[in-house]
Amino acid sequence: MALTGVTRPGHIQLRVLDLDEAVRFYRDVLGLTETGRDASGRVYFKAWDERDHSSVILRQADRAGMDFFGFKVLDEATLTKLEADLKAYGVATERIPAGELLETGERVRFTIPTGHAIELFATKKFVGNGLEPVNPKPWSPASDRGIAPVRLDHALLYGPDVGGVLKLFTEVLGFNLTEYVTLPDSDEKGALWLSCSNKAHDIAFVVHPDPGKLHHVSFLLDSWDKVLRAADIMAVNDVKVDIGPTRHGITRGGTIYAWDPSGNRFETFMGGTAPYPDWPAIHWTWEGLGEGGGLDVAQRKLHDTFLTVVT
Ligand code: M3P
Ligand code: FE
C-alpha cells in the first residue's frame, strides 16, 4: 500500500533496572546515539540512519518491559481521523500533550486487547542522519559504533486476545496480516505478523496469558555480515544470547535474539520478505513454528525460551 495512514514504528519506551548500565549498553554495545534527557530522567536514543529525534526511550524502573510502542502516522489530519476511527470502533483513546516526550507532538494512546499501550503520533523533530542533504556519502561516524543498527524495525508482543488485536489492526489501523501461526489442532491464530508497509512485519503478537508483555524489540541491520559482526560484538561484551545467528522461516529474516542488561530481549535482524498487500497471509502450523523452521530454520525446533521468557 502507499504509505498513507500509519507509516512506521516510531518509538518504544523501555523500562530498565539500572539506567547508567542501560545507557552504556544501548550507546556503546548496541550503538544507538543519545539524543536527549528529559526532566523525569528518561534517556532518548536514535539509530544512526533514522531521521527523527528519537526511537528508543529508556526509563529507570524496578521491573523491565515496555511502557508503550508508538507508530508515526502521515500527518496531523491522519492522527485526528484515526483517533475518531478508534473511538467509533469502541476503543478508548487519550491525547497526550505535545512535548511530554521530547521533540514529539501530540500522541493518541490506547490499550489494545493484548494489554499493550499503543500510541499514534504525527510529529517528531527531524534531526537527520548526520549526512549532507545534497549528494550524501553512504556512511557517517555514528554508523560505526557498536552494532549500529539502521533503524528500530518492529516489536513482538505477548498477551491474551490476539484475535481482538488482529481485528483492530486490520479493520481500523490499516495493517495487513502477512504471516500467522495456528494453535495446536486448531484454526485459531496464536501468533500474527502485521505490516503497515511492505515490510514482513511492523509489529507481531503471540498469545500469552499475561497482558502487556514484551518478547523483543528489533533493530535492522543491512546485511548478514553485520548480523555476524553483531554476534562478535555480543561475545566481546558478554551479552547473553538467546537464539542465533540463524534465520527465521517466518518473515525469512536473518536474526539474533539476545538480552539487554535488564533482561529485555532485543533482536538484530536483516532482510525478510517484502510482501504486497494482495499477497495472502502465509499460514504456519504449530509444528511449522517449531520443527518446520518457522522460528529457527537452521535448528528447526521451538526453543523453550521463545514461549516463556518475556518482560
Ligand atoms: C521475526 C520476529 C518467529 C519468527 C519471527 C520473525 C518468531 O522477525 O519477530 O522475531 O517464528
Ligand atoms: Fe523480530
Side-chain angles (χ1 to χ4, degrees), residues 154 156 201 216 218 248 257 267 269:
H154 63 266
L156 174 57
H201 57 327
H216 70 265
S218 185
H248 296 300
Y257 285 160
E267 176 178 44
F269 172 85

Side-chain angles (χ1 to χ4, degrees), residues 13-288:
Q13 181 165 304
L14 293 171
R15 296 187 299 270
V16 296
L17 304 179
D18 178 330
L19 191 62
D20 292 340
E21 178 186 44
V23 166
R24 282 196 298 278
F25 175 81
Y26 281 86
R27 183 190 58 208
D28 300 337
V29 181
L30 190 53
L32 304 182
T33 301
E34 185 181 329
T35 57
R37 298 195 179 210
D38 68 19
S40 67
R42 292 179 295 186
V43 185
Y44 295 64
F45 293 90
K46 71 186 280 293
W48 82 267
D49 205 18
E50 289 172 333
R51 317 300 158 97
D52 287 350
H53 175 266
S54 45
S55 57
V56 174
I57 303 122
L58 302 182
R59 178 173 77 86
Q60 166 109 26
D62 54 18
R63 191 168 59 90
M66 180 186 91
D67 283 333
F68 53 80
F69 193 86
F71 291 96
K72 195 172 193 197
V73 306
L74 187 65
D75 53 23
E76 295 292 342
T78 304
L79 186 64
T80 302
K81 159 99 175 41
L82 288 169
E83 180 183 38
D85 292 348
L86 284 162
K87 285 195 174 126
Y89 188 77
V91 176
T93 63
E94 174 196 2
R95 276 254 174 182
I96 298 171
E100 195 279 333
L101 274 182
L102 286 185
E103 306 291 4
T104 305
E106 280 190 279
R107 291 129 67 204
V108 171
R109 182 182 291 178
F110 49 99
T111 302
I112 60 173
T114 44
H116 300 91
I118 298 291
E119 302 183 343
L120 306 177
F121 67 94
T123 307
K124 201 183 279 284
K125 185 180 181 190
F126 180 93
V127 298
N129 58 0
L131 303 179
E132 292 297 326
V134 179
N135 301 336
K137 302 289 190 233
W139 183 88
S140 92
S143 69
D144 207 28
R145 182 176 11 82
I147 293 170
V150 173
R151 66 169 185 234
L152 166 67
D153 191 85
H154 63 266
L156 174 57
L157 307 179
Y158 276 36
D161 197 6
V162 159
V165 162
L166 175 60
K167 272 176 71 70
L168 177 62
F169 274 77
T170 56
E171 294 178 16
V172 186
L173 299 175
F175 283 61
N176 296 308
L177 180 67
T178 60
E179 310 206 21
Y180 62 92
V181 180
T182 44
L183 294 173
D185 305 314
S186 159
D187 292 335
E188 193 185 330
K189 296 179 177 69
L192 313 172
W193 281 259
L194 291 159
S195 178
C196 62
S197 59
N198 80 328
K199 290 161 58 187
H201 57 327
D202 290 292
I203 194 153
F205 294 92
V206 170
V207 69
H208 191 269
D210 302 327
K213 292 295 181 183
L214 173 68
H215 182 276
H216 70 265
V217 54
S218 185
F219 297 95
L220 182 71
L221 298 176
D222 50 23
S223 69
W224 178 241
D225 280 356
K226 295 260 175 82
V227 176
L228 296 182
R229 177 176 169 275
D232 290 343
I233 292 171
M234 290 177 194
V236 167
N237 290 282
D238 292 319
V239 173
K240 199 160 169 240
V241 171
D242 178 20
I243 300 179
T246 185
R247 186 212 271 279
H248 296 300
I250 301 173
T251 74
R252 278 197 232 139
T255 180
I256 305 171
Y257 285 160
W259 286 285
D260 81 358
S262 302
N264 293 307
R265 194 189 278 94
F266 68 99
E267 176 178 44
T268 51
F269 172 85
M270 60 73 60
T273 56
Y276 290 107
D278 57 310
W279 293 9
I282 297 171
H283 177 187
W284 296 81
T285 61
W286 195 253
E287 297 70 34

